[in-house]
Amino acid sequence: MATGLLDRTNRSLLPVTLAFAAGIALASRVLAPPQPLLTSTAFLAALLLWAYFSDHRRLAALLLLPLFCLTGLWHGAPAFEPPREGRHIARLIGEGQQDVVLAGFLAAAPERSGDRTRLLMATAELRQSTGTTPTHGLVQITLAGRPRQELRPGDPFLARVRLGPLHGYRVPGAMDFTTFLHRQGIWLRGWAETPLHVVPLPANPRLPWPARLRFLPERLRDEANRLIFRLAPPESAPLFLGLLTGTRSEIPALVTEQFQATGATHLLAISGMNLGLITLLCTGLAGWLLGRSTWALLHLPTRKIALLLALPPLLGYAAITGLQPPALRALIMVLVFMAAILFDRQWCSVNNLAIAALLILLPDPASLLGASFQLSFAATAAIILAYRFRFPLLLTPGESMASRATAWLANGLVISVIATLATAPLCLFYFNRISLLSPLTTLVLTPLLCLWAIPLGLAGLACATTLPTLAGHLFVAGGWGIDASLRVVAWLAALPWASFFLPTPTIPEVTAALAALLALLAWQNGKGLRIAALALAAVAVASPLARQWVRVHDPTSRITFLDVGQGNAVALELPYGRSILVDGGGMASDRFDVGARLIAPFLWDRGITRLDAVVVSHPHGDHWNGLPFVLDHFRPTVLWVNGHGQEEEGYAALLARAKALGIIIRVPRPGEILAQSGQARLSNLEALHLAPTSLLVTRSGRLKEPDANNQSLILQARHGDTACLLPGDIDTEHEQGLLGMTGLESTVLLAPHHGSRHSASPRFLAAVKPHTIVVSARSGPGARFPHPEKVEEWKALGVPVLITGREGTIGATLGGDRARVAPLTAPSAIRR
C-alpha cells in the first residue's frame, strides 16, 4: 500500500504540497477564513469526487490544487489565532495582568542569562484567591536569580508570578519575538521577583505514562548537556552542545558572530547532515557486520536490513536533541528518504522532499513562516535540482582515486555555491546579511566538524554513562576538530568584506531571485530557460536599485519613533535620501543589542545603508547604548554630541570608536542647523549643553545644579509649516527657559524625559502647541514612564498621546499644513 502511494504521488505530490503551503501562507494573513470559503471548499470537494469517478482525470487534477490550497487555509488558520479553548491559561488570564500562583511542569531546561533565569512551564492549575482551576498551555516565566533547588524538564513546581500577555518590540524590519513565541504556543509571560516564589513539588508517581513521555525528549537533552559539560574540555563544550543537542545559548557571542560573518552558522544547527551522518555510520557498520555472513548476503536484503538497524540509534539521537523543531524537521526528512529507499523509490528526490514538507506542515503549519524551515528546504531543493537537471558544472567521477577526489572537491564547492545562492535571498530578507565566504567555509569546516568532531562527540555521548573515561578521551579528540574550526573561522572572519549587510529585499524580489536560480539550474534544458534566468536575475537586481532611486528623489520628510522599550531612538528621513538618527538606545543586555536587533533592521527595511549624521542628545545609556553597531555599519559623516560624559567608560568608548572610524565629532551651537535638505532641516534650538558644568542658569534667572538630563540637546525637525520637537530628557525647570523662544511651536512633541512626572508642564505645552504627543517608553505594569497623571493631564488638554510601548513604532510624515502621525504596521515577517 505504501509503495503504491509513493508511486501514485510521484508526479502529483509536489504541486499539491505547494498548494497546501500557499493556503497556510494565506491563513497567516487573513487569520479567520471568511465563511463563504467553507461553501467553496465543500463545492470543490464534491466537484473533485464527481470528476474522479466520472473519469475526467484532467479536470480532477486541476481541481486538486485549489482544494488543497483551501485545505491549507482551513488547517493553518488555528495556528495563527489566539487559543479558543476555555480552559487554556491565556483565556483564563485575558488581556490584563494578574498576581497568581501556577502549578505545572518544567517543559524545557532552564535558560540562564546574567542574574536571571527563564523557565518554560506547562501549566496544570491556576490558583487564585477565588479557587483552583485546571488549565493547560505554556507560560514563559522570568525569575530574578536562580531557583533554590535544581529543576529538570518534567519536574512539577509552583510559581507565584505577575502574569500577563506577551509584550515585545514592534519595529518594522526587526524580528517580532511576540509572534515568534505565539507560534510556539506561548501566549503569556510571568515575572517572579525572588527565587522563593518558585517551589519544586514532589513527583507524582500516579502521573500517567503519556504525560511522562511528553517531557522525556527534553529530559534526555538536559541529561546529554550535563554529560557534555562534565566530560568535554571547557573550551570546546559550548560548540559540542550546539553540534550534538542543538543548545546554542552557551556559545560565546564572539564565536557566534564569527560563524555568522563567514556564513557557517548552519553548521552549528541540528540539521539533516547530523542525522544523515548517524544513519550513514550506523548503516555502514551494520552492513559491514552483515557482509561477514555468506548466508546473509545470499538470502537477505542486507542493504535494507542495515538501514532498519540504523533506525533505533537515529530515533535515540533525535530524542537527545529534545525533538526541537529544527531537529524534528531534519528527522522527518531523513525518515522520508529512508522510506523511499526501503520501498525502492529512492530516485524520486523531489517528491520525497515534498512528502517531508507535507509531513512537517501537517502537525505544525506555522513552521512554514519560520526562517529555518525555508532555509533548509531552499538549500536541499536547490541541491536536488542541480543533480536532477545535470547542472553542467558538476563533474562525473572517473575510475582513478585522483579523479574521484578531484570530482568530490569540485562538486562540494559547486554544491556549496548553489546552496549559498539558494539561501542568500532569504538570508537578506531575514538577517540582512550574506557572506561570500560561505561556500569556502562550508567546504573547509565540514570535514573538521561533521566528519571529525560530531562522530567522536556522538561516540563519547553514547558511552558517557558506562565508560566515562573513554568518553572523556573521545571528547578531547573531537575537541581538536572544534579548536581547528575556531581558528579557521576567526581568521576568515577577520578578512575585509567577509560578509555584507544589505537592505531588506521585498517578497517579490526574493521570489524573482529564487526563480532565477531555478532557471539557472535548468540552464541547458532549453533556450527559454536561459532567457528566463537572465530576465529574472535582472528583475531581482533592478528592483532594489529602482527603490533606492525613488528614495533619493522623494521630497517628503518622515520621522519615526522606534519601539525600543525604555529608551529613545528617532529616525529622521529628510527629502532626497538624507537620513539622520537622533539617539539610539533602549533596553539592553549581554544577549540583546538594541542597535543590532532593532535600529539597524529598521534602517535596512527603509533601504538606508548610510547615515548622514547621528545625534546623541545626552550621554545616558538609554539614548546611546545601541550606537556602536550603528556607527560600525552605517558610518555617519558626523556625530553630534552635547560635549559631556567623556568620563563615563562606555560612552568614552563610543566616542573613541567614532574617531577610529573617521567620523567627525561636533558639539552644536544654539540655532545651528545640523542637517538640511529641500524644505526640511534639523536644528539645535538651545544652549543648555554649553552652560558651565558647575551651575546652569535657566532663562527664568534661577540657578540649578547640572545633570546629564538637563544638558540635553534641544532639537527641532521642521518641514514647511510642520515640525517635531525633540527636547531630550529636560525637566520642568528647564522647560521654562524655552518658553520665550520663537519658533518653538511644533506639530509633534516627543515627550521630555519619556513622560516623567516632572516634565511637560501645561505652560510648556501651551508654548509648543503640539497636535500629538509621542512618548518613547515601555508600557504596562512595572513601567516607570510615562507617569499616569501626565497622560491623563495631556488627554484632558485634548492632545492625543501615543506610547511606543503600547502602539509600537510610531511614524509621522512632515510637510504641508499638518503632520500625519500613526503607529506603523507590525513587521512583515518573522525574522528567524
Side-chain angles (χ1 to χ4, degrees):
M1 178 179 177
T3 304
L5 175 63
L6 285 172
D7 186 55
R8 288 195 303 272
T9 58
N10 182 30
R11 292 180 297 274
S12 63
L13 195 58
L14 177 61
V16 161
T17 302
L18 292 176
F20 186 73
I24 295 174
L26 183 61
S28 70
R29 296 291 182 180
V30 301
L31 295 182
Q35 189 62 31
L37 288 180
L38 179 61
T39 306
S40 302
T41 306
F43 174 75
L44 278 175
L47 190 60
L48 175 64
L49 291 174
W50 173 83
Y52 182 82
F53 288 108
S54 301
D55 208 26
H56 294 80
R57 299 300 176 88
R58 182 169 296 181
L59 176 60
L62 291 175
L63 293 173
L64 197 63
L65 298 185
L67 180 62
F68 264 80
C69 183
L70 289 173
T71 303
L73 176 64
W74 286 102
H75 179 69
F80 306 105
E81 296 177 344
R84 294 182 177 181
E85 202 275 316
R87 289 199 171 180
H88 193 283
I89 186 66
R91 293 293 301 272
L92 296 176
I93 297 300
E95 294 298 322
Q97 300 272 340
Q98 297 186 35
D99 290 314
V100 300
V101 173
L102 296 173
F105 301 88
L106 189 67
E111 296 181 8
R112 297 179 178 89
S113 178
D115 60 347
R116 296 187 176 186
T117 305
R118 186 172 294 165
L119 307 173
L120 184 62
M121 173 188 274
T123 58
E125 291 180 351
L126 172 63
R127 301 183 181 183
Q128 298 170 291
S129 58
T130 56
T132 299
T133 306
T135 186
H136 63 91
L138 297 175
V139 169
Q140 188 182 82
I141 299 173
T142 301
L143 170 66
R146 297 190 178 185
R148 299 182 67 188
Q149 298 183 38
E150 185 180 38
L151 287 173
R152 300 185 61 190
D155 288 351
F157 69 102
L158 287 175
R160 179 182 175 183
V161 296
R162 180 72 169 171
L163 190 62
L166 298 171
H167 290 288
Y169 303 106
R170 288 169 290 174
V171 179
M175 179 176 178
D176 185 351
F177 279 96
T178 299
T179 304
F180 175 72
L181 292 176
H182 284 173
R183 291 176 185 171
Q184 298 183 54
I186 303 171
W187 290 83
L188 297 176
R189 177 176 293 165
W191 167 252
E193 296 181 351
T194 167
L196 296 174
H197 289 175
V198 174
V199 181
L201 295 174
N204 184 359
R206 294 176 298 176
L207 197 67
W209 70 266
R212 298 180 185 180
L213 189 63
R214 172 186 177 188
F215 303 108
L216 180 61
E218 273 296 331
R219 202 171 182 91
L220 291 174
R221 185 188 190 203
D222 183 61
E223 181 61 29
N225 287 344
R226 293 169 187 268
L227 291 172
I228 293 171
F229 262 123
R230 181 161 58 88
L231 298 173
E235 61 276 6
S236 56
L239 256 71
F240 268 127
L241 291 176
L243 293 169
L244 301 180
T245 70
T247 304
R248 296 168 61 177
S249 59
E250 300 294 332
I251 300 177
L254 177 60
V255 174
T256 301
E257 164 59 26
Q258 290 171 344
F259 271 83
Q260 290 174 347
T262 55
T265 311
H266 59 283
L267 296 177
L268 299 179
I270 300 294
S271 65
M273 183 180 293
N274 300 59
L275 301 178
L277 183 62
I278 292 175
T279 306
L280 182 63
L281 293 174
C282 294
T283 303
L285 177 61
W288 181 82
L289 292 175
L290 290 171
R292 303 304 94 195
S293 169
T294 304
W295 182 89
L297 290 174
L298 292 174
H299 297 86
L300 298 175
T302 55
R303 182 187 180 195
K304 295 183 179 181
I305 292 176
L307 200 62
L308 288 173
L309 291 175
L311 193 58
L314 177 66
L315 296 176
Y317 173 68
I320 289 175
T321 67
L323 290 180
Q324 297 294 305
L328 187 59
R329 285 196 296 270
L331 175 64
I332 291 175
M333 292 179 67
V334 172
L335 289 178
V336 167
F337 278 83
M338 289 176 65
I341 294 175
L342 291 173
F343 291 109
D344 299 318
R345 293 293 183 271
Q346 60 266 39
W347 303 117
C348 307
S349 301
V350 175
N351 192 63
N352 294 342
L353 191 65
I355 294 173
L358 193 60
L359 290 178
I360 291 168
L361 293 176
L362 282 172
D364 184 18
S367 65
L368 175 70
L369 302 187
S372 57
F373 176 93
Q374 296 174 19
L375 288 168
S376 60
F377 274 92
T380 306
I383 294 171
I384 289 174
L385 292 174
Y387 280 103
R388 191 177 185 88
F389 292 141
R390 294 182 175 86
F391 190 61
L393 295 181
L394 292 174
L395 303 180
T396 302
E399 295 295 329
S400 66
M401 182 68 71
S403 174
R404 287 198 293 268
T406 301
W408 185 85
L409 289 173
N411 290 346
L413 184 59
V414 171
I415 288 300
S416 294
V417 171
I418 290 173
T420 299
L421 291 175
T423 56
L426 294 169
C427 286
L428 284 179
F429 182 76
Y430 288 108
F431 313 114
N432 298 102
R433 190 177 194 178
I434 56 172
S435 173
L436 299 180
L437 297 176
S438 183
L440 176 62
T441 310
T442 301
L443 193 64
V444 173
L445 295 189
T446 296
L448 295 173
L449 294 178
C450 300
L451 301 181
W452 181 261
I454 290 179
L456 290 175
L458 290 172
L461 202 55
C463 62
T465 55
T466 56
L467 299 170
T469 302
L470 174 60
H473 291 310
L474 290 171
F475 277 118
V476 169
W480 299 341
I482 288 178
D483 294 340
S485 299
L486 291 176
R487 287 194 291 269
V488 170
V489 168
W491 181 76
L492 291 175
L495 295 176
W497 309 107
S499 61
F500 297 86
F501 288 90
L502 296 172
T504 309
T506 63
I507 292 179
E509 290 166 359
V510 171
T511 304
L514 293 176
L517 176 63
L518 177 62
L520 176 65
L521 294 177
W523 181 270
Q524 60 182 8
N525 289 21
K527 183 179 179 181
L529 288 172
R530 291 192 286 270
I531 295 175
L534 294 175
L536 289 167
V539 169
V541 173
S543 179
L545 294 178
R547 287 193 292 119
Q548 284 293 326
W549 186 91
V550 171
R551 191 178 74 85
V552 299
H553 289 82
D554 187 356
T556 60
S557 294
R558 295 179 180 87
I559 187 164
T560 307
F561 306 90
L562 303 186
D563 177 17
V564 292
Q566 182 53 49
N568 192 55
V570 181
L572 177 60
E573 298 173 72
L574 298 182
Y576 311 119
R578 299 203 65 183
S579 304
I580 299 98
L581 181 67
V582 179
D583 288 336
M587 303 295 289
S589 67
D590 295 338
R591 288 279 175 179
F592 188 87
D593 183 339
V594 68
R597 305 287 285 274
L598 299 178
I599 300 173
F602 170 79
L603 296 175
W604 285 318
D605 192 63
R606 293 292 303 160
I608 298 170
T609 57
R610 294 292 297 267
L611 288 168
D612 293 280
V614 169
V615 185
V616 181
S617 63
H618 63 287
H620 273 173
D622 62 342
H623 288 250
W624 64 262
N625 57 26
L627 291 181
F629 186 90
V630 173
L631 296 186
D632 284 343
H633 296 93
F634 293 87
R635 301 295 177 92
T637 304
V638 59
L639 174 64
W640 295 94
V641 298
N642 72 348
H644 302 285
Q646 291 87 341
E647 67 282 354
E648 199 276 313
E649 183 178 354
Y651 186 66
L654 176 72
L655 298 180
R657 178 177 298 201
K659 291 179 181 177
L661 294 172
I663 300 170
I664 301 169
I665 301 175
R666 293 189 58 185
V667 178
R669 300 183 305 274
E672 183 171 0
I673 295 176
L674 281 58
Q676 186 169 5
S677 182
Q679 300 182 39
R681 66 179 184 273
L682 175 68
S683 54
N684 177 58
L685 300 183
E686 186 51 284
L688 296 181
H689 61 292
L690 298 179
T693 56
S694 57
L695 284 177
L696 290 178
V697 182
T698 68
R699 284 181 178 248
S700 61
R702 298 182 61 182
L703 302 179
K704 188 174 179 65
E705 293 263 340
D707 60 46
N709 285 338
N710 290 316
Q711 292 173 321
S712 296
L713 299 178
I714 311 299
L715 306 173
Q716 186 186 63
R718 180 173 292 278
H719 187 138
D721 295 330
T722 57
C724 178
L725 185 63
L726 309 170
D729 282 357
I730 62 173
D731 61 16
T732 304
E733 180 65 35
H734 287 75
E735 291 172 1
Q736 307 309 310
L738 305 178
L739 298 183
M741 183 178 299
T742 59
L744 190 64
E745 297 85 356
S746 299
T747 319
V748 182
L749 170 65
L750 178 64
H753 202 193
H754 315 283
S756 75
R757 186 173 188 175
H758 303 290
S759 66
S761 66
R763 291 185 62 195
F764 181 67
L765 293 185
V768 177
K769 299 182 177 64
H771 295 180
T772 305
I773 295 176
V774 175
V775 185
S776 182
R778 288 177 56 210
S779 184
R784 293 176 56 201
F785 306 111
H787 196 280
E789 292 180 5
K790 279 293 172 184
V791 176
E792 293 303 319
E793 180 182 299
W794 298 334
K795 290 181 178 179
L797 294 173
V799 182
V801 179
L802 299 176
I803 306 172
T804 56
R806 185 179 63 197
E807 276 82 21
T809 296
I810 297 165
T813 302
L814 303 181
D817 57 353
R818 61 186 300 270
R820 294 174 293 279
V821 187
L824 301 182
T825 56
S828 57
I830 296 297
R831 303 286 174 89
R832 184 70 171 172

